[in-house]
Amino acid sequence: RRMGDALLEAAVDDVARRGGGPIRLWVSRADPVDDQRALARGFRIERDLYQMRCPLPLPRDPAETELDQAIDTRPFRPGVDEAAWLATNNRAFASHPEQGHWDLATLLEREKEPWFNADGLLMLEADGRIAGSCWTKIHADTDPPLGEIYVIGVDPDFHGRGWGRALTRAGLDWLARAGLSVGMLYVDAGNVAALTMYRSMGFVEHHVDRAYVSRADRR
């Protein structure tokens, strides 16, 4: 805890010496002690991000057959699908602070990551275009290994068809076939619609990552 206090104070001092400005502090698995430390130094809570988990394979409830509709997806094609995927992603996440406004360089950086698997980026086509996608990510070095729904989005033109839920299930099914027994995703605490859907599918909150914001005055 003392190390955390010292690092936070050093970071605030550094921003102040560089001219001041806004500061955002992210804490994984935030608890009341983290809140106290941040609030005592002039930060306020800005945003909570839940990590949610579920067992794999996801059980199928016969009563949910209409909600869990089957969809046909195909794997992402590197060198072919980038522009179409970016267009759909940026429309789906137009107001999102991290996922929106990606460019080609950002996507290509992700494709170079050792965890990237084009087969695990599931593309949903409709009306001759990319209607949505579910991008999975395998964390093989965690205990237990986790299969993440990394990015999932549906173009606003196709909202209301249940494809967000269907794509989530398609991604979880793909991860289960890859040998994962635990699924995981992150969702903003304020996204009530998404939280309701994920809970109805069997996800539960595992922990919260919290963002705090403040401003350092120039020194």
Side-chain angles (χ1 to χ4, degrees), residues 11-125:
V12 172
D13 288 343
D14 184 64
V15 172
R17 286 195 299 270
R18 293 171 182 267
I23 305 173
R24 178 170 287 103
L25 169 68
W26 273 102
V27 176
S28 179
R29 301 172 183 263
D31 61 24
V33 174
D34 296 308
D35 291 347
Q36 183 180 10
R37 175 191 296 120
L39 296 175
R41 287 162 178 78
F43 285 79
R44 62 177 176 82
I45 297 173
E46 178 193 41
R47 180 180 170 205
D48 280 351
L49 193 65
Y50 289 143
Q51 186 192 107
M52 305 185 77
R53 298 187 183 185
C54 70
L56 297 178
L58 202 63
R60 294 190 179 273
D61 183 346
E64 295 183 349
T65 53
E66 292 185 4
L67 293 174
D68 296 324
Q69 58 176 301
I71 54 172
D72 292 325
T73 62
R74 65 164 176 82
F76 179 83
R77 299 168 299 182
V80 176
D81 286 328
E82 280 82 0
W85 185 89
L86 284 167
T88 298
N89 178 80
N90 290 342
R91 281 173 53 80
F93 293 97
S95 61
H96 196 277
E98 287 97 28
Q99 188 57 40
H101 312 293
W102 277 29
D103 57 18
L104 180 60
T106 303
L107 178 55
L108 292 177
E109 285 179 4
R110 299 300 192 281
E111 291 183 35
K112 293 177 183 177
E113 294 287 344
W115 52 260
F116 176 73
N117 183 342
D119 290 341
L121 175 42
L122 309 179
M123 311 285 281
L124 175 63
E125 295 181 314

Side-chain angles (χ1 to χ4, degrees), residues 9 16 24 37 61-62 88-89 102 110 117 128 132 141 156-157 162 165 172-174 201 207 213 218:
E9 290 173 1
R24 178 170 287 103
R37 175 191 296 120
D61 183 346
T88 298
N89 178 80
W102 277 29
R110 299 300 192 281
N117 183 342
D141 55 352
D157 286 348
R165 186 184 187 96
L172 294 171
D173 288 347
W174 188 91
M201 297 181 72
H207 67 264
V213 291
R218 182 176 183 177

Side-chain angles (χ1 to χ4, degrees), residues 48 50 52 93 96 186-199:
D48 280 351
Y50 289 143
M52 305 185 77
F93 293 97
H96 196 277
Y186 289 96
V187 61
D188 277 285
N191 192 340
V192 176
L195 278 170
T196 300
M197 182 186 77
Y198 294 139
R199 286 168 178 156

